Amino acid sequence: MRLSLPVLTTLCVAPFLVNDLYLIWQVEYDTFVAVEIALRGSIVLLALLVPAGRRALRPVTGRPHGSIEGLGWTVAVTLAVVFAFPLRWYLPGQPLGWAPIADDHLWLVIDTAIGIPLVALSEEIVARGLVKRTLEERGWHPVWVTLASALLFGLWHWSGGFGHVVMTAAAGVVFMIAVYRTGSIWPAVVAHALIDLWLISWMDWQELLGVEAMVG
């Protein structure tokens, strides 16, 4: 499949920007998880199958410069975002919509084991991989690359409201710093997955098991 890097990047970015429209209206949890996995899996495959995508990702998909440094950045980014993210509730703006309530054990297991890691992988491949490389090839300074990709990353989460966009963009800055410092997206991917497992999946499990305990 012959696509230029800018075209490929646009094709991979666009679904993230419109995905929240679906998220706002979807009420069935199993359908939500299935669609999320299919969408994000398709984006990952597209980025990896297109030669321009493979070339763009090659510099950042190897091992970090140092294993200890990569582990350190993973831990530092995870803790920084987990502890800072609740600040979103002190910022103006209300969520326009949210993911459906987890109401099924099987689909929550699938989301925890496959969906959440795939969210992290797809978003890092696009924001800290394709977008980064596209802007760098146009001569953008790393500071502007970091800010632009972070803003775009924040806008992908627009349904969460202004505060959610701001905090997600801030997290995007931290993720990109980790990529530049380690030379790899993997610390950011792992940190992103751990953050979502804690802020999303863990809460879903608490709510699902808590509701069942009260009913029982």
Side-chain angles (χ1 to χ4, degrees):
M1 189 181 300
R2 297 294 176 181
L3 295 174
S4 66
L5 181 57
V7 171
L8 173 63
T9 301
T10 301
L11 290 176
C12 289
V13 166
F16 288 131
L17 290 172
V18 300
N19 184 49
D20 278 15
L21 288 172
Y22 166 79
L23 186 151
I24 289 175
W25 298 106
Q26 178 58 45
V27 296
E28 298 295 334
Y29 181 69
D30 54 351
T31 304
F32 165 76
V33 173
V35 170
E36 280 283 290
I37 290 176
L39 172 66
R40 292 170 186 279
S42 298
I43 290 173
V44 171
L45 286 176
L46 180 62
L48 296 179
L49 289 176
V50 174
R54 292 198 300 273
R55 286 194 298 271
L57 294 171
R58 192 173 296 121
V60 292
T61 51
R63 294 179 61 184
H65 295 321
S67 298
I68 300 301
E69 182 181 9
L71 178 61
W73 274 99
T74 300
V75 173
V77 170
T78 301
L79 293 176
V81 176
V82 165
F83 283 109
F85 215 81
L87 294 174
R88 74 187 188 277
W89 301 116
Y90 296 95
L91 296 172
Q94 295 297 318
L96 302 176
W98 214 253
I101 296 174
D103 56 5
D104 184 280
H105 282 95
L106 175 60
W107 281 101
L108 186 50
V109 168
I110 293 172
D111 191 35
T112 302
I114 301 174
I116 293 295
L118 195 54
V119 166
L121 179 62
S122 62
E123 293 186 353
E124 294 307 314
I125 279 179
V126 177
R128 260 65 68 177
L130 300 183
V131 171
K132 173 179 177 291
R133 188 59 182 167
T134 299
L135 298 179
E136 287 174 342
E137 288 187 351
R138 278 154 178 70
W140 286 41
H141 189 278
V143 171
W144 297 116
V145 172
T146 299
L147 294 177
S149 65
L151 176 60
L152 189 60
F153 181 61
L155 292 175
W156 291 351
H157 302 80
W158 59 266
S159 68
F162 177 76
H164 194 72
V165 170
V166 169
M167 293 307 299
T168 304
V173 170
V174 178
F175 289 144
M176 186 65 88
I177 292 174
V179 172
Y180 273 119
R181 292 300 298 270
T182 66
S184 173
I185 65 169
W186 294 116
V189 170
V190 175
H192 192 156
L194 291 173
I195 291 163
D196 284 355
L197 286 170
W198 176 254
L199 295 179
I200 301 174
S201 290
W202 174 238
M203 300 299 179
D204 285 341
W205 278 109
Q206 285 184 307
E207 290 181 6
L208 180 59
L209 297 177
V211 168
E212 289 183 348
M214 287 188 291
V215 173

